[in-house]
Amino acid sequence: EIKYVYQPQINLLKAVDSDDQDIVLWDLHQPSSMFSAKNGLILAKANTSSNIGNAMMIDGKTGNILWEKERIIGRPAFGQSAIFLLAVENGIWGTDNHLKVDLIAADPTTGNIISSVQFNPSEISSNYGNSGYSLTAMNDLVFVYLGDGQQLFAIQYFPSE
């Protein structure tokens, strides 16, 4: 069985044997500790500039990056049928006051966008800080908190067959 370990002092995410942690299966320099694992996949986010970063899916067995999405805010989340991300339009975080944000449902293995939701009003304040914007998912029920307007949305995702 595989165990995933993050070493913040050197920004290293690694997979080790759960019985003998000295056996390293793979390692990947990851500039953020935002990651979660499900069904042999690791969903991670690395901040690239200020609070906006790239989300990536990593093969938990090999450490290979399967896909990457740019301009993501907050922590991405696994759902039952998709992964969920908050994508931010082009602009400078902390400088441009209002940036458009979309909730995206994407295929976990390919990263292809399945569906998206645009909030109305669609802009968020980039001066509010990263901690004000978050999402989580339980099965395919997605909760999105937009702190600049103190709004909590609950969205049920229904995958098309």
Side-chain angles (χ1 to χ4, degrees):
E1 191 170 322
I2 298 174
K3 179 178 178 180
Y4 306 107
V5 178
Y6 181 71
Q7 296 177 294
Q9 65 276 19
I10 56 174
N11 294 325
L12 186 70
L13 175 62
K14 63 183 179 177
V16 297
D17 185 287
S18 60
D19 294 327
D20 183 355
Q21 293 190 24
D22 290 332
I23 299 174
V24 177
L25 305 171
W26 56 261
D27 59 26
L28 179 67
H29 284 279
Q30 166 72 19
S32 172
S33 60
M34 286 188 184
F35 70 92
S36 57
K38 182 177 178 181
N39 298 331
L41 297 172
I42 300 170
L43 180 58
K45 180 181 169 235
N47 286 345
T48 54
S49 115
S50 188
N51 294 310
I52 297 174
N54 295 344
M56 64 189 77
M57 189 64 73
I58 303 165
D59 183 315
K61 290 182 182 179
T62 65
N64 292 333
I65 296 173
L66 302 175
W67 55 261
E68 195 166 347
K69 294 263 183 242
E70 297 179 343
R71 302 202 49 84
I72 303 299
I73 185 170
R75 182 185 297 258
F78 276 105
Q80 184 173 337
S81 305
I83 56 113
F84 300 98
L85 312 150
L86 288 175
V88 179
E89 74 175 339
N90 289 333
I92 300 171
W93 189 262
T95 301
D96 296 331
N97 252 351
H98 299 286
L99 298 174
K100 184 178 78 120
V101 63
D102 292 332
L103 170 63
I104 293 174
D107 180 277
T109 55
T110 65
N112 293 337
I113 296 174
I114 302 167
S115 184
S116 66
V117 172
Q118 186 177 81
F119 296 98
N120 189 9
S122 62
E123 294 89 16
I124 61 173
S125 173
S126 68
N127 291 322
Y128 196 77
N130 187 44
S131 61
Y133 306 99
S134 59
L135 70 89
T136 190
M138 182 173 48
N139 297 320
D140 282 333
L141 182 59
V142 184
F143 298 93
V144 179
Y145 178 68
L146 301 179
D148 61 343
Q150 299 180 356
Q151 301 169 74
L152 175 65
F153 297 89
I155 300 167
Q156 178 67 54
Y157 173 71
F158 294 102
S160 59
E161 300 300 326

